[in-house]
Amino acid sequence: MNMERIQRVTARMKEAGLDQILVTATTSLYYLTGYWVEPHERMIALWLTAGGQAVLFGNEIFGLSSTPELPFVSHKDGDDPVADLALAVKPGRLGIDKFWYSKFLIGLMEHRPDVTPVHGSGAVDETRMTKDEAERAAMRHASAMNDQVVHAAISAVKEGVRENELAALVNREFLARGADCEGTQLVCFGPNGADPHHSGDSTVLKPGDSIIFDIFTPISRYWCDMTRTVFYQTVSDKQRQVYELVRKANEAAEAAVRPGVPLSQLDGIARGIITDGGYGPCFTHRLGHGCGIDCHEPPDVSGASDAVCQPGMVFSIEPGIYLPGEFGVRIEDLVMVTEDGCEVLNKYPKDLKIVP
């Protein structure tokens, strides 16, 4: 158990008027307990009270055992998975993890009609938004590896290469640098880059194509995530104009990051530059997202966000312009809010690059 993190979570529970919550998401359980369990269809749940009492419930197949600070109550396949949990929870409001399967929630409600389920992820999500020193070091390391991998990927661009070849190379390069697993890397040539979530297929590179590398994976449980766009052999005037507009938006938003700045304001800065450049409708997604043990986690970096920059927050700044049937450009860095400004975690250059 990470007691400092537990204390931060329980303080937020008290602020929200919640006396008890269930933490069930793999990443949030890891954050609080140090246990990494992917339960799949089975149940695992940490019951946590505002007073700091914690009990872990789960299937014996997970191989966990009780400790003095964290009792583990196990059940077997074939047992009612929520029976013991139903005996423990208190009547009244119970904060439920947003990712808990409805089959378990319904089962708990059948056992305990005196329990009122409410949204309960906020206390953990808000705590996770500001990274402690160990997490900040992990994020810096992951981003440094990401810089190396994007350099290797761009260096492998050559005539006749396919998107999925480069995506596979990215995964090999990540694994060689300590990645936890392979991922679905986004490598997009030419018109495919106009789809923000196109994933690599058998498309063959052609002269004049833009190439979007949006590459990401967890390294020691913490995610890196960055995007660079380069051009193969030639670049048109239109491609150059769009690229420089996106880069300007990216750098202007990053320059504005500091404690107290609303995240909606960052989105507005980048979106305003792209709109003034004549491509407003072509920037089709939010500016960014929080990143940590999950690749996409709070805070939301969009015009609708009510979050404000706080030291220790890590999130992406990734403006883009997408022209269907032509090409796309996206430039993404992870940034960390510092005590007096911003640390850009990705160092790979953003000058327009033409790969010969």
Side-chain angles (χ1 to χ4, degrees):
M1 293 283 283
N2 188 311
M3 297 312 299
E4 190 275 335
R5 294 175 183 174
I6 291 287
Q7 290 168 5
R8 291 168 61 197
V9 169
T10 55
R12 291 184 182 276
M13 289 172 61
K14 292 172 185 175
E15 291 171 2
L18 272 178
D19 188 54
Q20 55 180 346
I21 63 172
L22 295 181
V23 182
T24 62
T26 294
T27 49
S28 290
L29 283 168
Y30 174 76
Y31 177 76
L32 295 176
T33 70
Y35 293 141
W36 186 273
V37 178
E38 296 183 11
H40 303 293
E41 77 277 11
R42 295 180 171 91
M43 191 205 78
I44 188 167
L46 175 69
W47 177 59
L48 180 65
T49 73
Q53 182 183 2
V55 182
L56 187 60
F57 297 84
N59 196 295
E60 67 174 12
I61 200 172
F62 301 147
L64 304 178
S65 57
S66 291
T67 67
E69 61 186 10
L70 184 61
F72 176 59
V73 180
S74 67
H75 61 268
K76 303 176 184 293
D77 283 350
D79 292 344
D80 179 349
V82 299
D84 291 320
L85 177 61
L87 293 174
V89 298
K90 303 175 183 179
R93 286 161 32 102
L94 173 64
I96 301 296
D97 195 310
K98 60 182 179 287
F99 293 124
W100 204 34
Y101 284 155
S102 60
K103 64 180 181 179
F104 299 133
L105 174 57
I106 291 170
L108 179 62
M109 292 170 67
E110 289 173 345
H111 280 286
R112 292 294 302 272
D114 59 339
V115 167
T116 302
V118 298
H119 292 295
S121 296
V124 181
D125 287 348
E126 291 167 15
T127 302
R128 284 177 51 182
M129 280 198 302
T130 54
K131 275 53 178 175
D132 58 33
E133 288 303 322
E135 293 180 292
R136 296 182 197 193
M139 295 298 295
R140 290 187 182 102
H141 173 71
S143 290
M145 296 302 99
N146 211 352
D147 285 342
Q148 293 181 16
V149 173
V150 80
H151 173 73
I154 291 172
S155 299
V157 170
K158 61 183 180 181
E159 182 178 358
V161 73
R162 300 190 307 273
E163 288 178 341
N164 50 18
E165 284 184 88
L166 288 180
L169 179 143
V170 167
N171 276 326
R172 292 195 300 272
E173 294 287 340
F174 271 135
L175 291 173
R177 290 167 175 81
D180 299 334
C181 60
E182 294 186 353
T184 304
Q185 309 301 334
L186 307 186
V187 179
C188 318
F189 296 164
N192 290 342
D195 175 0
H197 279 169
H198 173 81
S199 58
D201 57 26
S202 59
T203 299
V204 176
L205 183 64
K206 303 188 301 298
D209 275 347
S210 60
I211 310 171
I212 293 178
F213 290 97
D214 186 347
I215 63 174
F216 44 90
T217 202
I219 300 175
S220 298
R221 303 298 185 194
Y222 282 83
W223 283 78
C224 55
D225 189 8
M226 70 179 294
T227 306
R228 291 295 183 266
T229 303
V230 299
F231 301 89
Y232 182 52
Q233 293 191 352
T234 64
V235 60
S236 69
D237 290 343
K238 185 175 184 179
Q239 288 172 325
R240 184 181 296 276
Q241 175 198 20
V242 167
Y243 184 89
E244 295 299 346
L245 191 60
V246 172
R247 185 174 73 156
K248 181 180 179 183
N250 167 272
E251 293 176 344
E254 290 177 354
V257 175
R258 62 185 181 278
V261 173
L263 298 186
S264 59
Q265 182 175 319
L266 303 179
D267 183 278
I269 289 169
R271 202 167 301 278
I273 288 170
I274 289 174
T275 297
D276 290 346
Y279 289 96
C282 305
F283 181 10
T284 55
H285 53 75
R286 62 186 176 181
L287 180 63
H289 55 84
C291 190
I293 313 176
D294 285 305
C295 187
H296 285 215
E297 62 181 40
D300 173 39
V301 188
S302 74
S305 178
D306 59 4
V308 174
C309 289
Q310 302 175 50
M313 280 185 174
V314 178
F315 50 82
S316 65
I317 299 288
E318 49 180 305
I321 292 175
Y322 309 97
L323 305 177
E326 298 184 64
F327 65 95
V329 171
R330 182 165 63 256
I331 301 172
E332 174 188 13
D333 298 307
L334 290 184
V335 302
M336 182 185 299
V337 183
T338 63
E339 297 300 327
D340 57 2
C342 168
E343 177 184 347
V344 180
L345 299 185
N346 296 107
K347 313 300 183 186
Y348 192 85
K350 291 181 277 193
D351 296 332
L352 188 148
K353 184 177 181 64
I354 302 171
V355 181

PDB file of all heavy atoms in Angstrom, residues 248-263:
ATOM      1  N   LYS A 248       3.134  25.951 -34.997  1.00  0.00           N
ATOM      2  CA  LYS A 248       2.907  27.202 -34.272  1.00  0.00           C
ATOM      3  C   LYS A 248       1.873  27.005 -33.172  1.00  0.00           C
ATOM      4  O   LYS A 248       2.046  27.499 -32.040  1.00  0.00           O
ATOM      5  CB  LYS A 248       2.451  28.285 -35.248  1.00  0.00           C
ATOM      6  CG  LYS A 248       2.213  29.647 -34.610  1.00  0.00           C
ATOM      7  CD  LYS A 248       1.765  30.673 -35.659  1.00  0.00           C
ATOM      8  CE  LYS A 248       1.487  32.037 -35.028  1.00  0.00           C
ATOM      9  NZ  LYS A 248       0.992  33.013 -36.046  1.00  0.00           N
ATOM     10  N   ALA A 249       0.805  26.277 -33.470  1.00  0.00           N
ATOM     11  CA  ALA A 249      -0.239  26.017 -32.478  1.00  0.00           C
ATOM     12  C   ALA A 249       0.304  25.187 -31.326  1.00  0.00           C
ATOM     13  O   ALA A 249       0.014  25.452 -30.151  1.00  0.00           O
ATOM     14  CB  ALA A 249      -1.420  25.316 -33.144  1.00  0.00           C
ATOM     15  N   ASN A 250       1.078  24.168 -31.657  1.00  0.00           N
ATOM     16  CA  ASN A 250       1.676  23.319 -30.631  1.00  0.00           C
ATOM     17  C   ASN A 250       2.582  24.123 -29.696  1.00  0.00           C
ATOM     18  O   ASN A 250       2.474  24.040 -28.466  1.00  0.00           O
ATOM     19  CB  ASN A 250       2.467  22.202 -31.318  1.00  0.00           C
ATOM     20  CG  ASN A 250       3.389  21.430 -30.390  1.00  0.00           C
ATOM     21  OD1 ASN A 250       4.539  21.832 -30.196  1.00  0.00           O
ATOM     22  ND2 ASN A 250       2.922  20.333 -29.830  1.00  0.00           N
ATOM     23  N   GLU A 251       3.456  24.918 -30.268  1.00  0.00           N
ATOM     24  CA  GLU A 251       4.437  25.640 -29.462  1.00  0.00           C
ATOM     25  C   GLU A 251       3.795  26.777 -28.668  1.00  0.00           C
ATOM     26  O   GLU A 251       4.208  27.063 -27.532  1.00  0.00           O
ATOM     27  CB  GLU A 251       5.559  26.149 -30.361  1.00  0.00           C
ATOM     28  CG  GLU A 251       6.393  25.001 -30.935  1.00  0.00           C
ATOM     29  CD  GLU A 251       7.463  25.464 -31.913  1.00  0.00           C
ATOM     30  OE1 GLU A 251       7.385  26.626 -32.383  1.00  0.00           O
ATOM     31  OE2 GLU A 251       8.370  24.666 -32.214  1.00  0.00           O
ATOM     32  N   ALA A 252       2.774  27.414 -29.224  1.00  0.00           N
ATOM     33  CA  ALA A 252       2.095  28.490 -28.506  1.00  0.00           C
ATOM     34  C   ALA A 252       1.345  27.946 -27.292  1.00  0.00           C
ATOM     35  O   ALA A 252       1.364  28.550 -26.209  1.00  0.00           O
ATOM     36  CB  ALA A 252       1.142  29.228 -29.434  1.00  0.00           C
ATOM     37  N   ALA A 253       0.684  26.815 -27.451  1.00  0.00           N
ATOM     38  CA  ALA A 253      -0.031  26.216 -26.321  1.00  0.00           C
ATOM     39  C   ALA A 253       0.952  25.783 -25.237  1.00  0.00           C
ATOM     40  O   ALA A 253       0.717  26.005 -24.037  1.00  0.00           O
ATOM     41  CB  ALA A 253      -0.869  25.030 -26.784  1.00  0.00           C
ATOM     42  N   GLU A 254       2.064  25.194 -25.640  1.00  0.00           N
ATOM     43  CA  GLU A 254       3.057  24.770 -24.653  1.00  0.00           C
ATOM     44  C   GLU A 254       3.637  25.966 -23.901  1.00  0.00           C
ATOM     45  O   GLU A 254       3.888  25.890 -22.684  1.00  0.00           O
ATOM     46  CB  GLU A 254       4.169  23.980 -25.343  1.00  0.00           C
ATOM     47  CG  GLU A 254       3.705  22.617 -25.840  1.00  0.00           C
ATOM     48  CD  GLU A 254       4.755  21.835 -26.584  1.00  0.00           C
ATOM     49  OE1 GLU A 254       5.858  22.375 -26.844  1.00  0.00           O
ATOM     50  OE2 GLU A 254       4.481  20.667 -26.931  1.00  0.00           O
ATOM     51  N   ALA A 255       3.851  27.059 -24.606  1.00  0.00           N
ATOM     52  CA  ALA A 255       4.427  28.247 -23.976  1.00  0.00           C
ATOM     53  C   ALA A 255       3.494  28.840 -22.921  1.00  0.00           C
ATOM     54  O   ALA A 255       3.942  29.569 -22.033  1.00  0.00           O
ATOM     55  CB  ALA A 255       4.755  29.296 -25.037  1.00  0.00           C
ATOM     56  N   ALA A 256       2.208  28.534 -23.008  1.00  0.00           N
ATOM     57  CA  ALA A 256       1.221  29.093 -22.076  1.00  0.00           C
ATOM     58  C   ALA A 256       1.007  28.228 -20.835  1.00  0.00           C
ATOM     59  O   ALA A 256       0.287  28.631 -19.921  1.00  0.00           O
ATOM     60  CB  ALA A 256      -0.114  29.300 -22.794  1.00  0.00           C
ATOM     61  N   VAL A 257       1.617  27.033 -20.807  1.00  0.00           N
ATOM     62  CA  VAL A 257       1.394  26.120 -19.683  1.00  0.00           C
ATOM     63  C   VAL A 257       2.126  26.612 -18.440  1.00  0.00           C
ATOM     64  O   VAL A 257       3.347  26.816 -18.453  1.00  0.00           O
ATOM     65  CB  VAL A 257       1.871  24.696 -20.038  1.00  0.00           C
ATOM     66  CG1 VAL A 257       1.749  23.778 -18.825  1.00  0.00           C
ATOM     67  CG2 VAL A 257       1.074  24.136 -21.214  1.00  0.00           C
ATOM     68  N   ARG A 258       1.383  26.801 -17.376  1.00  0.00           N
ATOM     69  CA  ARG A 258       1.945  27.166 -16.073  1.00  0.00           C
ATOM     70  C   ARG A 258       0.833  27.002 -15.037  1.00  0.00           C
ATOM     71  O   ARG A 258      -0.355  26.985 -15.391  1.00  0.00           O
ATOM     72  CB  ARG A 258       2.482  28.596 -16.061  1.00  0.00           C
ATOM     73  CG  ARG A 258       1.448  29.670 -16.315  1.00  0.00           C
ATOM     74  CD  ARG A 258       2.076  31.047 -16.415  1.00  0.00           C
ATOM     75  NE  ARG A 258       1.080  32.076 -16.632  1.00  0.00           N
ATOM     76  CZ  ARG A 258       0.562  32.382 -17.821  1.00  0.00           C
ATOM     77  NH1 ARG A 258       0.970  31.723 -18.905  1.00  0.00           N
ATOM     78  NH2 ARG A 258      -0.341  33.335 -17.933  1.00  0.00           N
ATOM     79  N   PRO A 259       1.188  26.872 -13.767  1.00  0.00           N
ATOM     80  CA  PRO A 259       0.151  26.682 -12.750  1.00  0.00           C
ATOM     81  C   PRO A 259      -0.907  27.781 -12.778  1.00  0.00           C
ATOM     82  O   PRO A 259      -0.596  28.966 -12.951  1.00  0.00           O
ATOM     83  CB  PRO A 259       0.943  26.725 -11.436  1.00  0.00           C
ATOM     84  CG  PRO A 259       2.311  26.261 -11.817  1.00  0.00           C
ATOM     85  CD  PRO A 259       2.546  26.825 -13.192  1.00  0.00           C
ATOM     86  N   GLY A 260      -2.157  27.371 -12.655  1.00  0.00           N
ATOM     87  CA  GLY A 260      -3.272  28.305 -12.612  1.00  0.00           C
ATOM     88  C   GLY A 260      -3.939  28.567 -13.945  1.00  0.00           C
ATOM     89  O   GLY A 260      -5.014  29.169 -13.987  1.00  0.00           O
ATOM     90  N   VAL A 261      -3.334  28.128 -15.035  1.00  0.00           N
ATOM     91  CA  VAL A 261      -3.918  28.360 -16.358  1.00  0.00           C
ATOM     92  C   VAL A 261      -4.986  27.298 -16.631  1.00  0.00           C
ATOM     93  O   VAL A 261      -4.716  26.101 -16.521  1.00  0.00           O
ATOM     94  CB  VAL A 261      -2.835  28.322 -17.462  1.00  0.00           C
ATOM     95  CG1 VAL A 261      -3.472  28.380 -18.847  1.00  0.00           C
ATOM     96  CG2 VAL A 261      -1.852  29.461 -17.266  1.00  0.00           C
ATOM     97  N   PRO A 262      -6.198  27.687 -16.992  1.00  0.00           N
ATOM     98  CA  PRO A 262      -7.225  26.704 -17.336  1.00  0.00           C
ATOM     99  C   PRO A 262      -6.820  25.895 -18.576  1.00  0.00           C
ATOM    100  O   PRO A 262      -6.281  26.451 -19.540  1.00  0.00           O
ATOM    101  CB  PRO A 262      -8.463  27.561 -17.625  1.00  0.00           C
ATOM    102  CG  PRO A 262      -8.191  28.872 -16.956  1.00  0.00           C
ATOM    103  CD  PRO A 262      -6.710  29.077 -17.038  1.00  0.00           C
ATOM    104  N   LEU A 263      -7.077  24.603 -18.554  1.00  0.00           N
ATOM    105  CA  LEU A 263      -6.750  23.769 -19.706  1.00  0.00           C
ATOM    106  C   LEU A 263      -7.591  24.160 -20.921  1.00  0.00           C
ATOM    107  O   LEU A 263      -7.147  24.014 -22.060  1.00  0.00           O
ATOM    108  CB  LEU A 263      -6.938  22.299 -19.363  1.00  0.00           C
ATOM    109  CG  LEU A 263      -6.050  21.764 -18.242  1.00  0.00           C
ATOM    110  CD1 LEU A 263      -6.215  20.255 -18.095  1.00  0.00           C
ATOM    111  CD2 LEU A 263      -4.597  22.105 -18.471  1.00  0.00           C
TER     112      LEU A 263
END
